[in-house]
Amino acid sequence: MVMDNVVKGLSPQPTIEQLSQDLVTVSSYLPVLADILQKETLLWKLELLKAASAYANARLHAVKAQTLVLSGGKDQLLPSQEEGQRLTSALPKSQLRSFEDHGHFLFLEDGVDLVTIIKGASYYRRGKSLDYISDFMPPTATEFNELNEENRWMSVLMSPVMLSTLEDGKIVRGLSGIPSEGPVLLVGYHNLMGFEVYTMVPQFLIERKILLRGLTHPILFVDSKDGGLPDLGPYDKFRIMGAVPVSAVNFYKLMSSKSHALLYPGGMREAMHRKGEEYKLFWPETSEFVRMAATFGATIIPFGTVGEDDVAQIVLDVDDQMKIPFMKSQIEEWTKQYIKVRTGTQGEVGEVGNQPIHFLFYLPKFPGRFYYYFGKPIETKGRKQELRDKKKAHELYLEIKSEVENCLAYLKEKRENDPYRNILARLIYQATHGFTSQVPTFDL
């Protein structure tokens, strides 16, 4: 169509709409090609393109292989973004990754690493199907540094305070109370929109060289071809850092591989809580994660995080949105889409299976300070037979839940005595001592 319209003159068949769309798509690219190539060469290439594209397009539906489509957002030679979206729609098993700040020659540009892209899209596997545990390749130093650099501003603004508890019950600043050998299960409260993981996971790797494998909501791993669910691209960083879909099977594999696993029993219900529900736990009645941890003699560490709910004020929660017809329809559609794509998934841990899929509307506040408190480790080693009893397991489950609530209460009380809780005081301290310096906090 490009060749017919531009080189041979306008044909009467195409409609005005088709010609307009064609002109918009191509107008910014042909001048560049014309400057690079002679007219005869350009005509010859367009002829090749016309024949080859017709051949390829007629056979796209037959491609059954898993396909990763990459496109440059600033491609001045070809309409890569438009073509990438078209190919992703046409190829049955495909995902699109768009690089907004890169051009036509993706692999020749800095900041584009094909291995990292493949890992982030969960396309690397050893067998026929993907295994999130055995197929996982830990982030390289370069990958971690790049991801950590993206979140550095959060660490500067929020100056996280991390406290842990030694075996003798002493509370110390830092993560020295976290066992270095797994399996270890960290169980805690999920803050508003889960922002606490952005500073917590990197700090574990920096301070203790421990990679936390987060058991994450499965929607971050579900690809929706019709666009009904969120784009997977922004969540690649979580997969690179070891996040896995929360399920009994993945939990079992993490424990059996002696990993440090991160579990939020309240799941999406806590992270997307309603107005006035700050720091309230919404844990399910079942205590299966206790019995699973005991099977492998895992150390369970209850923890709480406060401060993040000071960052934003919820304007419309899910209850508010369900009262607005068009928002209600969208939430119901997203939830229906998610239910369809997760058909057959069994053994999900926490309340991930019965929550409406939605986004929160909120107003940002001045960044509050993050406070993390990791409680005294609870050993399950040697208690496998004891905790097979559902009553005993449930008692330990309630103990863990109570410890998480105690951690939250401790932080909420102690932060009142933090002279650097206010962002202005922290910025002044960092300006005089350096932005990489550790800002003091309350007395332990």
Side-chain angles (χ1 to χ4, degrees), residues 157-158 307-313 363-370 421-424 426-427:
L157 289 177
M158 299 174 184
E308 184 186 320
D309 290 281
D310 300 333
V311 176
Q313 176 68 46
L363 291 175
K365 298 180 180 179
F366 286 109
R369 194 171 193 183
F370 278 51
R421 182 181 175 186
N422 184 275
I423 185 174
L424 182 60
R426 297 198 302 273
L427 291 176

Side-chain angles (χ1 to χ4, degrees), residues 134-258:
S134 63
D135 287 337
F136 174 68
M137 292 190 294
T140 64
T142 300
E143 289 170 344
F144 173 73
N145 290 335
E146 289 181 355
L147 292 174
N148 192 42
E149 190 64 33
E150 294 179 10
N151 300 324
R152 188 174 298 278
W153 65 272
M154 292 186 69
S155 295
V156 172
L157 289 177
M158 299 174 184
S159 302
V161 176
M162 296 202 176
L163 310 174
S164 60
T165 309
L166 304 179
E167 290 184 0
D168 60 4
K170 182 181 179 181
I171 301 174
V172 296
R173 185 166 185 181
L175 300 173
S176 57
I178 307 298
S180 57
E181 297 295 328
V184 174
L185 176 62
L186 290 94
V187 184
Y189 165 74
H190 219 353
N191 278 238
L192 184 66
M193 293 179 288
F195 278 138
E196 78 277 358
V197 300
Y198 286 94
T199 52
M200 181 172 70
V201 173
Q203 190 61 31
F204 266 75
L205 204 52
I206 292 171
E207 185 176 336
R208 295 296 310 280
K209 292 182 172 56
I210 292 174
L211 181 63
L212 291 183
R213 303 294 305 274
L215 288 151
T216 313
H217 198 292
I219 198 172
L220 272 62
F221 299 81
V222 172
D223 183 33
S224 176
K225 297 296 291 184
D226 60 4
L229 294 175
D231 178 28
L232 288 182
Y235 304 119
D236 284 0
K237 63 184 71 175
F238 296 110
R239 291 184 285 274
I240 291 173
M241 291 300 295
V244 302
V246 58
S247 70
V249 172
N250 287 334
F251 185 26
Y252 178 93
K253 290 180 179 179
L254 286 175
M255 293 293 96
S256 64
S257 61
K258 298 184 177 182

Side-chain angles (χ1 to χ4, degrees), residues 270-344:
E270 287 178 357
M272 308 293 279
H273 60 246
R274 278 71 159 170
K275 297 173 183 175
E277 294 180 344
E278 296 85 356
Y279 309 120
K280 182 178 180 181
L281 269 59
F282 292 92
W283 287 22
E285 294 298 324
T286 57
S287 55
E288 291 305 311
F289 77 80
V290 173
R291 301 172 71 189
M292 183 79 78
T295 299
F296 297 96
T299 301
I300 300 175
I301 300 179
F303 74 93
T305 310
V306 305
E308 184 186 320
D309 290 281
D310 300 333
V311 176
Q313 176 68 46
I314 299 175
V315 177
L316 292 177
D317 60 22
V318 66
D319 292 337
D320 297 325
Q321 295 177 47
M322 292 298 283
K323 296 175 184 177
I324 303 173
F326 79 91
M327 287 187 174
K328 179 181 179 181
S329 299
Q330 183 65 80
I331 291 172
E332 291 175 345
E333 179 61 28
W334 283 337
T335 305
K336 182 180 178 182
Q337 275 274 353
Y338 173 61
I339 291 173
K340 285 181 179 179
V341 296
R342 61 180 274 272
T343 299

Side-chain angles (χ1 to χ4, degrees), residues 372-425:
Y372 300 80
Y373 176 27
F374 299 92
K376 186 177 180 179
I378 299 174
E379 297 290 346
T380 66
K381 190 174 182 179
R383 303 178 64 183
K384 181 178 178 180
Q385 294 300 325
E386 172 193 351
L387 295 174
R388 278 184 176 177
D389 182 89
K390 289 188 176 182
K391 183 178 179 181
K392 293 289 186 181
H394 192 66
E395 289 176 356
L396 182 56
Y397 176 80
L398 294 178
E399 178 186 339
I400 295 168
K401 183 178 180 181
S402 178
E403 284 299 313
V404 172
E405 291 173 332
N406 291 338
C407 290
L408 293 171
Y410 175 87
L411 292 175
K412 288 167 69 176
E413 178 184 352
K414 297 292 286 186
R415 69 174 178 172
E416 297 296 330
N417 301 318
D418 185 358
Y420 295 97
R421 182 181 175 186
N422 184 275
I423 185 174
L424 182 60

